[in-house]
Amino acid sequence: MRHGPGSGLLRLRAAGHLIVVQRGDEFFAYDTAQAGNDGENQGARLLWRVNLEAKLPGTTSVRGFSQWLQQRPGRFPRLQVIDPFSGDLAELGPVTNTVVCFHKSQTLQAVDPLTGKLLWKRFDLHPESEVIGDNEVLLVMGPQEQSVQVLRVADGYELGRCKVPQADERIASVGRNVVSWQQDQQGTHLTAMDPWAGKELWKRTFAASAKFWLIETDEIAVLDSAGQFAVLSLADGRARVDHDLTPEPNQTDMFVHRSCDQYLLFANSPQPVKGNVNAVPGGYYCPLVGGRICGFDRHNGKLLWNTAIEQQLSFDTTQPLDLPILAMASRVYEQNGQNRITRQYSPLVCLDKRTGRIVHQEELSGSISRVEVIGNPGAKTVEIRTNTSGVKLTLTSEPWEEPAA
């Protein structure tokens, strides 16, 4: 079952059937085309592993990590981790069919993707640099640099420098190409360029009110207050979705979740509340949502449904993405004039992602501390569990029974 973003210290990138997984300062490469069974890793063969953790000879590793959520525009916060003894953890760079790159502190190294054998190293990296690239060149972008270093992938030789958009305008990359989000008097410009070739690849202009959301590493969603909603490919700018929704002048933010068959757009706007509303703890991030949720067919881009959510509810982003049920809940604390809590309750709402219909809702007494969503494909059921209650929904092909008038 696929899960949403938020896998702790794990990062991964893929090239063809090669997957490179980062866990802290360790990197593991797996070949998914060759089955392996070493008692721990089944279904993919471990090709190599590299550990960049610095240790003194004869000592054991005793590490204590500090962690926090790094807020990032247009995407969920990222769990950042720092080792107080050795600084930031390593970062995974480009993964292609000719090279795998990673860096830690001032050291950038490239290894063979199949063997893990070291190809070359450089020791002149800014510790906070971002490294992007393809099979030919790497761009080493310092945190505040617009003139960036260009390296040859084969041997790490510096070929020269090229200009990129400023750091706060760079929002994504595809290979060595940089995607930027820039605002001026004409509106908001979403642009992809090849900095090394000095070439603009594609460009779309939106209203000044537009907000963006990155969908994994290959797509971007854009929504403005006039209701224009688009999902574009980062590689070529082609529209996967292009739809005009009802304008929402009070829109505060938005985000998009993608499953195998759908895009789910959460378009948030202020909702009436009776007290203090808090998210229900769950995965590493549970945003409050309220306003509208829209389902779009991922294959043809058509709007499937548009459902109003007229209260604030939290959504655990680690819910399994491909289950047909979306569960949302929150914890509400009503107060009197002296700011004393007079009532606690937890609304729970379950939405059928196939139709947009709310198929279950209840108000649980007290303050719940978790919501689990468990699918059973064989029984065609989805179970929603909290620490105080549970409900099992059975999926059928029968039409929904409308309540009597």
Side-chain angles (χ1 to χ4, degrees), residues 150-229:
V150 182
L151 307 178
R152 186 164 55 202
V153 163
D155 54 11
Y157 176 77
E158 183 172 344
L159 297 172
R161 304 186 76 85
C162 66
K163 187 176 181 180
V164 298
Q166 61 190 45
D168 61 353
E169 295 175 341
R170 303 193 299 258
I171 61 172
S173 63
V174 180
R176 72 186 190 193
N177 302 327
V178 175
V179 180
S180 64
W181 180 263
Q182 301 168 313
Q183 290 185 313
D184 59 24
Q185 294 180 346
Q186 282 71 47
T188 303
H189 309 287
L190 178 64
T191 308
M193 64 175 296
D194 180 343
W196 182 230
K199 180 181 178 182
E200 182 181 290
L201 303 175
W202 58 265
K203 184 175 182 178
R204 285 281 301 266
T205 298
F206 299 89
S209 62
K211 295 177 172 59
F212 74 88
W213 190 266
L214 291 170
I215 306 174
E216 298 188 16
T217 60
D218 59 328
E219 292 180 328
I220 185 170
V222 181
L223 176 66
D224 65 25
S225 59
Q228 182 185 5
F229 176 65

Side-chain angles (χ1 to χ4, degrees), residues 50-319:
V50 172
N51 191 344
L52 299 186
E53 180 185 353
K55 293 191 297 185
L56 294 174
T59 65
T60 58
S61 174
V62 179
R63 309 186 72 177
F65 296 109
S66 300
Q67 62 185 37
W68 71 96
L69 287 180
Q70 177 193 21
Q71 300 295 328
R72 306 178 298 169
R75 67 208 89 174
F76 290 121
R78 182 185 184 188
L79 183 63
Q80 287 289 84
V81 179
I82 189 170
D83 182 342
F85 296 100
S86 61
D88 290 340
L89 297 181
E91 288 286 343
L92 178 60
V95 174
T96 75
N97 56 10
T98 61
V99 72
V100 174
C101 295
F102 30 77
H103 59 92
K104 181 177 174 67
S105 297
Q106 294 178 297
T107 303
L108 169 65
Q109 54 186 296
V111 302
D112 184 282
L114 296 180
T115 66
K117 181 181 177 181
L118 180 66
L119 300 176
W120 53 263
K121 275 187 180 183
R122 291 184 66 102
F123 302 94
D124 56 352
L125 199 74
H126 188 289
E128 297 179 17
S129 293
E130 179 184 4
V131 181
I132 66 173
D134 55 18
N135 286 325
E136 298 177 354
V137 299
L138 300 176
L139 275 62
V140 182
M141 303 187 294
Q144 301 300 326
E145 292 181 335
Q146 285 189 264
S147 176
V148 302
Q149 195 177 35
V150 182
L151 307 178
R152 186 164 55 202
V153 163
D155 54 11
Y157 176 77
E158 183 172 344
L159 297 172
R161 304 186 76 85
C162 66
K163 187 176 181 180
V164 298
Q166 61 190 45
D168 61 353
E169 295 175 341
R170 303 193 299 258
I171 61 172
S173 63
V174 180
R176 72 186 190 193
N177 302 327
V178 175
V179 180
S180 64
W181 180 263
Q182 301 168 313
Q183 290 185 313
D184 59 24
Q185 294 180 346
Q186 282 71 47
T188 303
H189 309 287
L190 178 64
T191 308
M193 64 175 296
D194 180 343
W196 182 230
K199 180 181 178 182
E200 182 181 290
L201 303 175
W202 58 265
K203 184 175 182 178
R204 285 281 301 266
T205 298
F206 299 89
S209 62
K211 295 177 172 59
F212 74 88
W213 190 266
L214 291 170
I215 306 174
E216 298 188 16
T217 60
D218 59 328
E219 292 180 328
I220 185 170
V222 181
L223 176 66
D224 65 25
S225 59
Q228 182 185 5
F229 176 65
V231 176
L232 309 176
S233 164
L234 288 175
D236 56 20
R238 293 184 181 179
R240 308 283 172 78
V241 176
D242 199 344
H243 195 89
D244 289 331
L245 298 168
T246 302
E248 178 49 74
N250 296 320
Q251 175 189 313
T252 55
D253 64 337
M254 69 94 169
F255 63 89
V256 175
H257 251 222
R258 184 178 72 182
S259 65
C260 291
D261 300 317
Q262 277 188 329
Y263 299 102
L264 288 184
L265 165 65
F266 295 76
N268 298 319
S269 58
Q271 300 301 312
V273 295
K274 296 180 180 179
N276 292 328
V277 180
N278 292 338
V280 176
Y284 86 117
Y285 186 59
C286 297
L288 287 171
V289 301
R292 290 202 165 271
I293 304 177
C294 303
F296 293 87
D297 190 298
R298 187 174 171 185
H299 305 293
N300 59 29
K302 292 183 178 180
L303 176 66
L304 300 174
W305 47 264
N306 185 336
T307 300
I309 304 296
E310 298 177 345
Q311 58 183 317
Q312 284 190 309
L313 301 165
S314 63
F315 166 58
D316 183 353
T317 58
T318 63
Q319 278 187 46

Side-chain angles (χ1 to χ4, degrees), residues 340-351:
R340 293 180 179 177
I341 297 175
T342 58
R343 181 176 176 233
Q344 301 179 36
Y345 63 96
S346 301
L348 172 67
V349 174
C350 300
L351 181 145

